[in-house]
Structures are given as structure tokens and as C-alpha cells.
Amino acid sequence: MPVQTCRWHEFDNLPGLEQAAGEFILHASKQAIATNGAFRIVLAGGSTPRNIYRQLCEVDTDWSAWNIYFGDERCLPVRDPERNSRMARDVWLDRVAIPSRQIHTIPAELGPEAGALRYARELAGVGDFDLVLLGLGEDGHTASLFPGAAWERAETLPAVIPVHDAPKPPAQRISLSPERLSRARHVLYLACGDTKRNAIENWRAGVALPASRINPVSGVDVFMCV
Ligand code: 6PG
């Protein structure tokens, strides 16, 4: 497996990181829309992106060109406040004019296997993403790719994988695979809080983590405030 190229960006405070992340996203969107007339972005789950998404409501862009995907989803009812898609909709997606047909939520309410199959079909016609946003867990997980889980032992993986044993509740999830997350022009990690410091240190020391398995040709950018 080729060595992951990481560009590490350290921020003194969270607002500074959030502003820089918003600028990074907007720049990627302008580049994609100017080149292809469309912007395909994969959203990170968890709590870190919340304010970044909220700030995106104010940007000046052609929302009709934005296509939203998710890197993972928790197997909960559609309107459950713990769903990654619920958070993104509440603070951002339902507040801007992205056409609803262009918001591709993962049907995790169907359960891991059925939801993963359905989303894999939805992604079948989608090429490389323009930008993939990812969070980082304290154990080095990203999306719903957890260390020591079944996906790590698989010879081959489908683009979208069912997860049954997530140590971060809920146990049942759906995640894009490392390979599918790597098919992107840009990958931006967001890691905030001292609980992520150990994972960052291990990652930078070359310890194999799920986060180090995302390996786009252009390398990854890691925005951290730890
Ligand atoms: C999830 C996320 C997960 C998250 C990290 C960081 O469903 O929880 O996909 O990968 O990004 O656990 O979460 P925080 O941003 O809340 O620290």
C-alpha cells in the first residue's frame, strides 16, 4: 500500500480552524464548479464539523451545483438527532438552496446490510469526489472504520460497508470503504480536542490507524487543534 502523504496544519484555537476549514471547502467548491460545473463533497459525521457546516450557510456560492454525500451514518431512524445527516441538515443543508435530489443521505435506517447495498447502488454512477471531509476518533478511527474491526481483515471490500461492532455507539453503522473515501481530489481531516492528541501523535509517528488508510493521490490535509 503506498505511503499516505499528510500535510499537517496546526491551529491555536477552534474558531481559527473552523474558519480555515470553511475557506478550504469553499475553495474546493469554486475549483470544482469552475472545472466541472458541479461540486461533490462527502460530509464528516460527529460533532467537530457542526460549526463549520453552520458557517457555510453564509457563503456566496451556486448551491445548485453542490452534491452532498456522507462518509458514514449511524443506523438510527431518519430524524434521530444522533444521525450525522440530521446534524448537517439542521445547521446547514435545510437552510440553503441545495436541490433535495442532490443531498444523498445514507439510508442507514434500513440497517447495515440493506442500507449499504442501497447506497452502493447510489454511488455506482458517481466518479471521484471533489472533497472528502473526515473526523478522527480517539482510537484513530475515521468515518465508521474502527481499528481491529472486520473490515481490516477483509481481502476486498465493497465501496460501502456494513458495520456491526462499532465501539462508538451506535454499534450498527454504514461506512464508505477506505478505497472509496480515497477516490477524491482533496481529503480534509478535522481533529479537535486534547482527546485526539494521542491519535495524532501515533498517526504522525507512522502507527497504522484507520485514518492512515485513506490515501488519495493528492495526499490528505489534517487540520488539528489538539
Ligand atoms: C461518527 C463519525 C466519526 C467522527 C469521529 C470524531 O459517526 O461519529 O463519523 O468518525 O467523525 O468519531 O467525532 P467528533 O467530531 O464528535 O469528535
Side-chain angles (χ1 to χ4, degrees):
M1 182 176 71
V3 176
Q4 180 189 57
T5 302
C6 289
R7 291 174 291 274
W8 306 97
H9 309 256
E10 299 190 52
F11 292 85
D12 294 333
N13 56 70
L14 186 53
L17 181 147
E18 291 169 340
Q19 181 177 344
E23 290 164 2
F24 190 102
I25 294 166
L26 194 55
H27 177 74
S29 72
K30 288 179 177 175
Q31 187 182 41
I33 294 169
T35 309
N36 307 314
F39 178 49
R40 288 181 296 259
I41 179 174
V42 175
L43 299 189
S47 57
T48 299
R50 182 189 300 272
N51 281 340
I52 297 166
Y53 295 163
R54 182 180 284 115
Q55 289 168 7
L56 287 173
C57 293
E58 307 308 321
V59 302
D60 177 19
T61 185
D62 175 7
W63 291 119
S64 71
W66 287 56
N67 298 266
I68 308 295
Y69 300 87
F70 291 83
D72 71 325
E73 187 53 277
R74 306 161 182 194
C75 292
L76 296 167
V78 173
R79 300 196 59 77
D80 190 295
E82 288 303 305
R83 285 259 308 218
N84 291 327
S85 55
R86 183 76 268 146
M87 182 273 280
R89 281 186 176 279
D90 287 348
V91 304
W92 171 33
L93 301 178
D94 288 353
R95 297 167 182 266
V96 297
I98 299 174
S100 55
R101 68 180 179 285
Q102 292 172 204
I103 299 175
H104 305 273
T105 53
I106 298 175
E109 63 280 3
L110 301 177
E113 275 70 19
L117 279 174
R118 177 81 64 87
Y119 207 57
R121 282 200 294 271
E122 186 153 1
L123 288 185
V126 178
D128 288 1
F129 298 119
D130 295 302
L131 174 59
V132 170
L133 300 178
L134 288 167
L136 180 71
E138 297 166 21
D139 58 1
H141 80 257
T142 193
S144 286
L145 301 167
F146 292 89
W151 67 274
E152 281 189 333
R153 298 182 290 276
E155 284 289 309
T156 58
L157 284 171
V160 187
I161 58 179
V163 175
H164 288 275
D165 48 2
K168 177 179 182 182
Q172 294 200 329
R173 293 156 167 262
I174 293 171
S175 184
L176 269 57
S177 70
E179 289 73 21
R180 191 58 181 93
L181 289 166
S182 301
R183 286 185 51 198
R185 285 168 189 75
H186 302 285
V187 173
L188 175 60
Y189 279 91
L190 305 164
C192 303
D194 55 12
T195 61
K196 312 300 177 68
R197 186 175 299 134
N198 189 49
I200 290 281
E201 287 171 356
N202 285 337
W203 190 0
R204 297 186 80 163
V207 174
L209 301 172
S212 58
R213 290 282 302 272
I214 313 304
N215 207 354
V217 169
S218 58
V220 304
D221 288 278
V222 183
F223 282 14
M224 52 193 168
C225 178
V226 292

